[in-house]
Amino acid sequence: MKVTLFIPCFIDQCFPDVGISVVKILEKLGHAVDYPTEQTCCGQPAFNSGAWDQARATARQALKVFRDAEVVVSPSGSCGAMMKVFYPDLFKDTPEHKEACVLANKTWEFSSFLVNKLGVTDLGASFPGKATFHDGCHGLREMKVQREPRELLKHVRGLELVEMKPNDTCCGFGGTFAVKFPMISTAMGEQKCAAVAETGADYLISLDSSCLMHIQGMFDKQGKQMKSLHLAEVLAHNL
Amino acid sequence: MSTTAVNFKESATQYCHDLDHRQRIKTALTGYEVKRDENKARFTSWEEARQIAAEIKYEVISHLDQYLELFEKNLKARGAHVHWASDAKEARDIICRIAQENQVKHIIKSKSMTSEEIHLNEALEKNGFDVFESDLGEFIVQLRNEPPYHLVFPSMHLTRHQISETFTAKLGSARVTEPEQLTMIARDIMRQKFCLADMGISGVNFGVAETGMISVTENEGNARLTTALPRIHVALMGIEKMVRRMEDLAIFLPMLATAGAGQALTCYNTLFGAAKLPGEPDGPEQFHVVLLDNGRTAVLADAEQRDSLHCIRCGACLNVCPIFRNVGGHSYGTVYGGPIGSVITPNLRGLQDWKHLSFASSLCGACSQACPVKIDLAHHLLQNRRNSVKEKPPAFEGLLWHGFSFVMQKPALYRLGAKVGGLLQPLHEFVKGSALDPAKGWTETRETPQIAKQTFTQWWKENRQ
Amino acid sequence: MNSREKILGRIREALQVKAPMPGHHGEAHAHPAQTNVDGIRHWLPKVGANWEQQKDLFAQNSVALKTEFKVVANAAAAVAEIKRVAAAGKWKRIAAHRTPLLTEVASGVGLDTLWTEKGYAKQDLESCDGGISACEALVAQTGSVMVTTQSSGGRALSVLPPHHIVVATREQLVPDLAAAFELVRRKYNGNFPSAMSFITGPSRTGDIERILVLGAHGPKQLTVLLIA
């Protein structure tokens, strides 16, 4: 299968290892990987801010770039949800609506792609350590991905996975929310950090680097020890 | 920014730093969560029950005029009076008029958020009636001159010590702090009020069209007493509260109790269809139902958000909302808080003045998941944002998104911008956290991620292309 | 045009445009849900197949609700129970209403009795230590007692005195709320009593620190005696 990657802008800029890990994993599984370099952003920041005209303008670039893709895979529940769940809404009553639905149908979040499309749960990965998993809200509630990352992590040799309590509460990032309402974002982040710390884990894993940016950012600011990793980085650890 | 938005941000900032408040709310909700999940599990399928409840409400709201007419017809056939109020003022006037025409002096109320919505108590007091809230939580906040903190639990934010102080100061009662003792103080006072009152005002949880009855849900028994002893019963009801028939309550009453209070069923669920009928030993001489629009027909006209009228006011969305739990019920500055309040308030009270409530959310979606009638709350917040921008494009931010989309449609420009950002980032270190820091909202409490020396795109170009 | 016409007019105009079907993010539901009584019953908690099981479920619910529930053999046994409660509480005065069964039971208790069925003074009822009433039904699924203004002594008898005692008979035990509605439909044939209430345990509140306190405004104690 030819797998076309959609790498969110902040992963491209700040966390390239996540993208590199995804490439390595898919190649190990024997698939051809494509990355159209003309991709930019899914448009979610504008969309969430209510600027849907500008979001559409941005998203048209994605429609163009992924037009010929067989499947589009993204290591992000948040950006994946934008394309898979919200593009049809965004382009409703426009000439691009059909095309948006086509793209939505062929978009996958990375862990869901591995488990549900490729039927793979054991990548032969190993990663010794104690970790906890953070479910980003869009991945969890919009893309309904919860079982899949845990299936994959179950087979990672040496990894001890401990669930946070509670394990389905928002970290407080929320995109532009983090800077528009920083006091609320911070309060939510504090509670997420406390829940993470309470597990006694050394590693925080998620399929959303945007959430990790916020949570790790708080740990770092507080001078507290924690290492955040994207799921793909864990799975590609010894590849 | 509107005054309401400024107030919200100030209040939110205060509450977000109040760790005592955070802990109190967490404690208050933890017990609820355990019981709620226990009772959800008793359903053979809570998810299927949600779909049924959603579809019943969809059916009723889609034919609201017919159900309201049937409801009115059946009530009037039993001698009840039905009044229609287009807005808050009209509703207040109707109720004041009923009180005046019947030489009412003392009024007792059971819990009604709708009566808060129309600011009924102030109007009644201005017109010379004395009004008592009989629900314990409402009574407490009434004494403190505070608005209710939560749809279902008005005094959730208070400690027993604060309540004790209020009782001592306002009632002259003995200084006690045990919840049982405090409750008994209120009980003793209220018993006399129930006997003394000329008029009882209740809310309505559901209006049953087929049999012309209102259904009132409570735990304390104060609504039953409010409607048993005074000679006039006035029930205030939002027009959207309809259900089709009594049997619909077989699913709504348990779901309301489970989602709202973590109970299988609340203590008293009462159907009222008439004033005292011939042969009955007691009950009011007159029964009035006041139907309130106050912006609901405008929400109805927005087909995209019409399902926000399905709300059964259970408060489940508030309980799961991390925003609510951190900013507290009073920060919303309006009668309906939490996710449902953030959805409907801009549409009931003015989009530009109240849009900030729809923006103050990380869109986590816990509310949509919790809603017993499957209202698409999180997506309605997005729709409100879109509508507010369309109605009045924000000046500065509008430019920002124009710039953003311009750059994002030109990959070369985007890559250039990223490269420049990477070069400038070391400079950011100098202003980080200071007043000059453009990213101060972030950097006050978080470290910023480093822009990588080699982006993924660069790696790809070098290694795979 | 008065407000009624204006409101109905606005509603009709609004409803000319159809809204999307409910469900997460407007997902099309495969087939519409069954929203009648059978459909509802399917997903509510299970009730037990026969009277014994339903009686046990009512008993189980009563424990959780802190309702005192006793099955007694006959009216005389009911009287004995009430006498026991009255003695323990040092009762002086009870309230009750006259039905053949209740007259027998309440008179048997031998206390000063306020009979309410023809009306009463509020302060008199307020001073009673206990209220004894009949009921329409006992609902197994929820542990509820259904009372109405015509079967159970009016509106206040079952809520004003601090201890409410219900005297029920075997055939009044029904499986669930829908069955209770069915019962009153059949019995009253469209001429419903002015008020019908489901009582589920003694009165309670959690308004102070979410701590459960019994006897907020309604009765602090609820006793259900089932003659079977």
Side-chain angles (χ1 to χ4, degrees):
Chain A
M1 195 185 311
K2 178 147 134 222
V3 180
T4 305
L5 293 184
F6 167 45
I7 300 294
C9 43
F10 49 88
I11 291 183
D12 181 36
Q13 301 299 320
C14 301
F15 310 108
D17 280 335
V18 175
I20 297 169
S21 302
V22 170
V23 173
K24 288 185 173 161
I25 291 166
L26 290 170
E27 286 174 345
K28 180 178 181 198
L29 293 170
H31 300 282
V33 180
D34 186 27
Y35 172 70
T37 55
E38 302 285 281
Q39 60 186 264
T40 55
C41 173
C42 62
Q44 186 162 81
F47 178 74
N48 281 356
S49 299
W52 285 28
D53 288 336
Q54 287 75 37
R56 266 187 290 270
T58 307
R60 279 190 197 104
Q61 181 69 11
L63 291 182
K64 192 168 78 178
V65 162
F66 297 115
R67 189 163 293 147
D68 297 324
E70 192 185 325
V71 287
V72 177
V73 173
S74 184
S76 168
S78 173
C79 307
M82 181 65 202
M83 280 178 30
K84 187 164 194 70
V85 177
F86 293 114
Y87 269 16
D89 279 342
L90 181 60
F91 284 100
K92 200 160 95 162
D93 298 331
T94 72
E96 294 105 333
H97 184 238
K98 190 148 180 253
E99 202 183 346
C101 291
V102 167
L103 177 56
N105 278 333
K106 66 187 181 188
T107 298
W108 290 84
E109 178 278 325
F110 179 61
S111 71
S112 177
F113 182 71
L114 290 177
V115 174
N116 296 322
K117 182 77 174 167
L118 299 183
V120 169
T121 51
D122 189 347
L123 293 160
S126 78
F127 189 102
K130 188 172 177 191
T132 188
F133 189 81
H134 166 70
D135 298 272
C137 297
H138 274 127
L140 178 66
R141 296 195 179 93
E142 296 289 356
M143 300 194 88
K144 314 262 197 276
V145 173
Q146 188 182 31
R147 179 184 55 89
E148 294 83 342
R150 289 165 171 83
E151 280 286 335
L152 292 161
L153 289 171
K154 201 163 67 177
H155 292 104
V156 175
R157 287 133 187 83
L159 184 72
E160 184 197 346
L161 190 67
V162 184
E163 293 284 352
M164 280 184 250
K165 281 192 185 50
N167 70 353
D168 59 357
T169 306
C170 183
C171 67
F173 174 64
T176 49
F177 172 78
V179 292
K180 281 187 174 159
F181 295 93
M183 59 311 214
I184 313 177
S185 174
T186 298
M188 289 165 72
E190 280 169 6
Q191 288 162 80
K192 176 60 67 172
C193 288
V196 170
E198 213 176 289
T199 61
D202 300 306
Y203 299 97
L204 171 64
I205 307 172
S206 180
L207 45 91
D208 261 294
S209 295
S210 45
C211 300
L212 291 177
M213 202 165 62
H214 164 74
I215 305 171
Q216 185 67 46
M218 289 196 71
F219 272 115
D220 289 344
K221 187 82 178 184
Q222 290 164 25
K224 296 214 177 103
Q225 269 295 99
M226 182 55 58
K227 180 97 179 68
S228 292
L229 289 161
H230 190 282
L231 175 69
E233 291 176 295
V234 174
L235 297 174
H237 181 62
N238 59 342
L239 278 184
Chain B
M1 229 196 303
S2 63
T3 323
T4 41
V6 170
N7 292 342
F8 174 80
K9 281 194 160 172
E10 276 173 13
S11 182
T13 304
Q14 203 187 316
Y15 276 96
C16 284
H17 287 103
D18 186 346
L19 296 179
D20 281 333
H21 167 265
R22 196 187 286 185
Q23 186 55 47
R24 276 207 301 281
I25 301 308
K26 184 170 176 202
T27 308
L29 288 174
T30 304
Y32 153 82
E33 284 162 358
V34 169
K35 292 227 117 0
R36 172 202 64 196
D37 292 345
E38 267 171 34
N39 279 301
K40 273 166 75 172
R42 291 181 68 212
F43 283 72
T44 314
S45 169
W46 171 260
E47 288 302 313
E48 290 293 337
R50 287 178 76 211
Q51 186 62 25
I52 292 178
E55 288 190 24
I56 293 175
K57 275 288 174 178
Y58 178 77
E59 154 71 23
V60 171
I61 294 290
S62 302
H63 302 93
L64 187 59
D65 55 326
Q66 294 169 35
Y67 282 104
L68 282 169
E69 285 176 311
L70 182 61
F71 179 62
E72 177 192 45
K73 174 164 159 267
N74 288 328
L75 274 167
K76 284 170 112 161
R78 267 191 237 101
H81 304 267
V82 178
H83 310 265
W84 299 69
S86 277
D87 56 27
K89 177 169 190 310
E90 200 179 341
R92 292 194 298 262
D93 289 345
I94 289 168
I95 297 174
C96 285
R97 191 175 30 87
I98 296 170
Q100 270 149 12
E101 282 173 3
N102 289 284
Q103 287 84 45
V104 165
K105 280 211 202 49
H106 307 286
I107 298 178
I108 189 111
K109 285 180 72 214
S110 62
K111 197 156 158 0
S112 163
M113 293 308 284
T114 313
S115 74
E116 298 278 345
E117 179 189 331
I118 66 169
H119 304 292
L120 180 61
N121 290 10
E122 292 108 275
L124 290 170
E125 277 158 4
K126 251 200 204 100
N127 278 278
F129 307 107
D130 84 72
V131 187
F132 267 89
E133 291 287 352
S134 62
D135 173 271
L136 178 60
E138 289 288 341
F139 177 56
I140 292 168
V141 297
Q142 183 186 36
L143 288 176
R144 292 171 65 89
N145 237 320
E146 272 174 24
Y149 181 91
H150 181 285
L151 275 189
V152 173
F153 298 112
S155 56
M156 192 169 128
H157 57 306
L158 298 169
T159 64
R160 63 188 71 183
H161 300 283
Q162 287 172 297
I163 296 169
S164 171
E165 266 165 43
T166 303
F167 277 12
T168 318
K170 297 288 170 92
L171 304 172
S173 55
R175 184 168 280 289
V176 293
T177 52
E178 286 308 304
E180 164 123 21
Q181 295 168 313
L182 292 164
T183 306
M184 290 308 115
I185 291 175
R187 181 193 167 91
D188 287 337
I189 292 178
M190 281 312 152
R191 282 177 93 69
Q192 298 315 312
K193 301 284 178 212
F194 290 125
C195 291
L196 178 69
D198 308 296
M199 183 157 112
I201 301 178
S202 78
V204 174
N205 293 90
F206 302 101
V208 181
E210 189 221 356
T211 50
M213 296 168 178
I214 62 166
S215 177
V216 179
T217 291
E218 54 155 342
N219 269 312
E220 296 176 18
N222 62 307
R224 285 198 56 202
L225 289 166
T226 296
T227 54
L229 299 175
R231 54 191 166 84
I232 317 253
H233 172 197
V234 174
L236 178 62
M237 183 181 121
I239 50 174
E240 83 282 20
K241 296 282 176 68
M242 299 305 300
V243 294
R244 304 168 304 182
R245 36 182 190 266
M246 292 193 296
E247 285 73 9
D248 289 346
L249 297 177
I251 194 156
F252 280 109
L253 296 179
M255 291 190 83
L256 173 60
T258 297
Q263 295 175 277
L265 204 62
T266 57
C267 207
Y268 303 101
N269 290 281
T270 313
L271 286 154
F272 300 98
K276 175 170 69 172
L277 290 171
E280 292 183 354
D282 58 8
E285 289 153 27
Q286 292 176 37
F287 177 40
H288 296 258
V289 177
V290 181
L291 298 172
L292 179 71
D293 180 353
N294 205 27
R296 287 154 175 76
T297 46
V299 177
L300 191 73
D302 182 351
E304 196 178 37
Q305 296 208 31
R306 189 176 295 161
D307 71 347
S308 61
L309 292 177
H310 296 184
C311 178
I312 62 175
R313 301 286 191 262
C314 68
C317 59
L318 277 72
N319 298 335
V320 298
C321 177
I323 311 304
F324 172 81
R325 292 173 80 140
N326 280 294
V327 308
H330 287 153
S331 291
Y332 293 84
T334 180
V335 61
Y336 303 115
I340 186 66
S342 301
V343 166
I344 63 177
T345 306
N347 297 317
L348 289 175
R349 296 190 66 182
L351 188 54
Q352 296 307 322
D353 279 337
W354 294 95
K355 64 187 179 188
H356 59 280
L357 292 184
S358 289
F359 277 96
S361 166
S362 61
L363 302 173
C364 78
C367 50
S368 302
Q369 195 173 51
C371 179
V373 290
K374 288 195 172 185
I375 301 171
D376 211 1
L377 290 162
H379 296 152
H380 292 328
L381 294 174
L382 275 166
Q383 290 152 8
N384 278 350
R385 297 179 185 190
R386 177 202 66 204
N387 294 345
S388 76
V389 165
K390 202 146 156 211
E391 186 180 86
K392 189 170 169 213
F396 171 67
E397 211 184 299
L399 285 173
L400 176 69
W401 297 120
H402 268 105
F404 171 85
S405 68
F406 180 77
V407 170
M408 291 306 179
Q409 288 172 86
K410 296 177 163 43
L413 199 55
Y414 161 64
R415 308 244 171 259
L416 178 66
K419 205 173 269 173
V420 171
L423 290 171
L424 288 177
Q425 186 164 46
L427 293 176
H428 180 233
E429 296 296 314
F430 292 108
V431 296
K432 212 189 309 198
S434 76
L436 291 171
D437 184 359
K440 186 152 165 280
W442 181 276
T443 55
E444 250 174 342
T445 54
R446 294 161 278 216
E447 280 298 338
T448 38
Q450 290 296 111
I451 295 179
K453 294 257 179 332
Q454 184 188 53
T455 65
F456 174 79
T457 305
Q458 287 164 339
W459 175 90
W460 176 272
K461 282 182 172 159
E462 267 173 51
N463 293 282
R464 287 291 185 280
Q465 207 158 36
Chain C
M1 218 190 347
N2 59 24
S3 283
R4 180 183 186 279
E5 301 317 316
K6 284 196 215 136
I7 293 172
L8 286 170
R10 286 197 287 266
I11 294 174
R12 287 183 189 117
E13 195 183 328
L15 291 177
Q16 278 168 23
V17 179
K18 216 163 174 253
M21 272 291 276
H24 181 72
H25 200 62
E27 280 160 15
H29 212 70
H31 12 257
Q34 204 187 354
T35 62
N36 60 9
V37 171
D38 289 331
I40 289 171
R41 274 200 169 115
H42 206 62
W43 306 112
L44 288 175
K46 291 282 158 259
V47 220
N50 57 38
W51 191 94
E52 272 303 317
Q53 286 179 2
Q54 288 163 18
K55 185 247 318 163
D56 288 341
L57 180 56
F58 190 90
Q60 211 180 306
N61 284 328
S62 296
V63 170
L65 293 165
K66 304 208 188 340
T67 301
E68 187 189 10
F69 172 60
K70 285 211 164 93
V71 182
V72 296
N74 49 38
V79 172
E81 270 306 313
I82 300 175
K83 273 184 162 160
R84 189 186 54 76
V85 168
K90 296 191 177 51
W91 289 8
K92 295 204 184 55
R93 195 177 196 206
I94 57 173
H97 63 108
R98 287 188 179 87
T99 71
L101 174 61
L102 264 202
T103 312
E104 184 190 340
V105 168
S107 308
V109 176
L111 281 176
D112 186 18
T113 305
L114 172 70
W115 298 101
T116 64
E117 73 283 350
K118 292 228 177 5
Y120 56 88
K122 291 178 201 175
Q123 288 299 344
D124 286 347
L125 184 62
E126 204 282 320
S127 67
C128 290
D129 301 296
I132 309 176
S133 81
C135 67
E136 290 288 358
L138 299 182
V139 181
Q141 187 180 63
T142 56
S144 307
V145 180
M146 187 185 196
V147 296
T148 69
T149 44
Q150 286 173 20
S151 63
S152 323
R155 293 191 184 204
L157 173 61
S158 51
V159 71
L160 190 58
H163 191 145
H164 177 209
I165 301 181
V166 178
V167 181
T169 52
R170 191 191 170 87
E171 76 288 354
Q172 290 187 309
L173 179 67
V174 302
D176 54 21
L177 292 174
F181 287 129
E182 167 67 27
L183 187 155
V184 291
R185 276 188 193 282
R186 264 186 288 113
K187 178 171 174 184
Y188 291 104
N189 201 18
N191 297 318
F192 293 103
S194 70
M196 307 191 286
S197 189
F198 291 98
I199 300 171
T200 311
S203 146
R204 64 199 59 213
T205 182
D207 273 344
I208 299 179
E209 293 184 6
R210 300 290 291 120
I211 290 172
L212 182 68
V213 172
L214 295 181
H217 299 292
K220 212 163 169 170
Q221 281 171 280
L222 173 65
T223 301
V224 177
L225 302 171
L226 175 57
I227 300 177

